[in-house]
Amino acid sequence: MQRHSTLIPLSHEHKRLLFVCRYLKIDAAPYEGFPLETQAKFEYVVRIFQEVMVPHIQKEDHLFDKCAGHHPLVDAAIAELQQEHHIISRMYAALNDSTRLEEDMDALATSLEAHIRKEEREFFELIQKELPAILNNLKLD
């Protein structure tokens, strides 16, 4: 299914965040301009969370608010995704005090990647199918 225009900006942010996930993993491949030292990865994830992740989650929360209460499957998916947002946020916050920073960033990357794929492949498809009128009247900027 082609992505609804309202969801395209979120999908673009997801692509950027999926790169972050690959970069944070322990077995990350070298990529020009992205040092593989643990501290450099940590500083990068802090910057990306502030610049991309925080506003992204705010947009998703707005999307969830507008889609809630219209369809039981959508409501169940929203509850699950919101729980994952809380888990990912706690994992991110815990990095500051981590004694196993490399492993914890890898775990965060794995969780975030699975979450993004679920949003893209399941939730976005579901709301496009079940709530097209909501999407047609929604702006996420």
Side-chain angles (χ1 to χ4, degrees):
M1 179 182 287
Q2 189 167 14
R3 190 65 67 229
H4 190 281
S5 61
T6 301
L7 300 174
I8 289 173
L10 292 175
S11 289
H12 287 305
E13 290 168 358
H14 282 162
K15 282 184 183 172
R16 185 168 179 199
L17 292 168
L18 286 171
F19 168 79
V20 174
C21 292
R22 283 191 302 276
Y23 174 58
L24 290 181
K25 291 193 176 170
I26 288 174
D27 61 352
Y31 192 81
E32 188 175 336
F34 292 87
L36 294 178
E37 294 82 23
T38 302
Q39 187 60 34
K41 285 182 172 185
F42 175 69
E43 290 167 7
Y44 180 74
V45 75
V46 167
R47 186 167 56 81
I48 291 300
F49 261 70
Q50 291 169 348
E51 292 175 7
V52 179
M53 194 69 174
V54 170
H56 178 80
I57 288 177
Q58 290 169 342
K59 289 179 208 166
E60 286 185 347
D61 285 343
H62 182 67
L63 175 65
F64 294 164
D65 286 345
K66 295 298 182 186
C67 291
H70 300 283
H71 192 284
L73 289 176
V74 172
D75 290 350
I78 289 170
E80 188 176 322
L81 293 171
Q82 286 176 320
Q83 179 64 25
E84 291 176 9
H85 280 182
H86 292 301
I87 292 167
I88 290 164
S89 292
R90 282 196 303 270
M91 292 174 83
Y92 168 72
L95 293 178
N96 283 315
D97 300 317
S98 175
T99 57
R100 299 175 43 236
L101 190 54
E102 193 173 25
E103 292 86 356
D104 290 344
M105 286 190 299
D106 185 81
L108 171 64
T110 300
S111 295
L112 181 57
E113 181 178 22
H115 172 78
I116 290 169
R117 297 210 185 281
K118 184 185 297 179
E119 284 181 341
E120 285 287 328
R121 295 176 181 161
E122 298 173 25
F123 184 69
F124 287 2
E125 297 297 319
L126 178 64
I127 61 175
Q128 287 179 132
K129 180 178 173 236
E130 301 296 342
L131 304 176
I134 302 276
L135 291 177
N136 288 337
N137 294 307
L138 186 62
K139 290 276 182 256
L140 294 174
D141 319 76

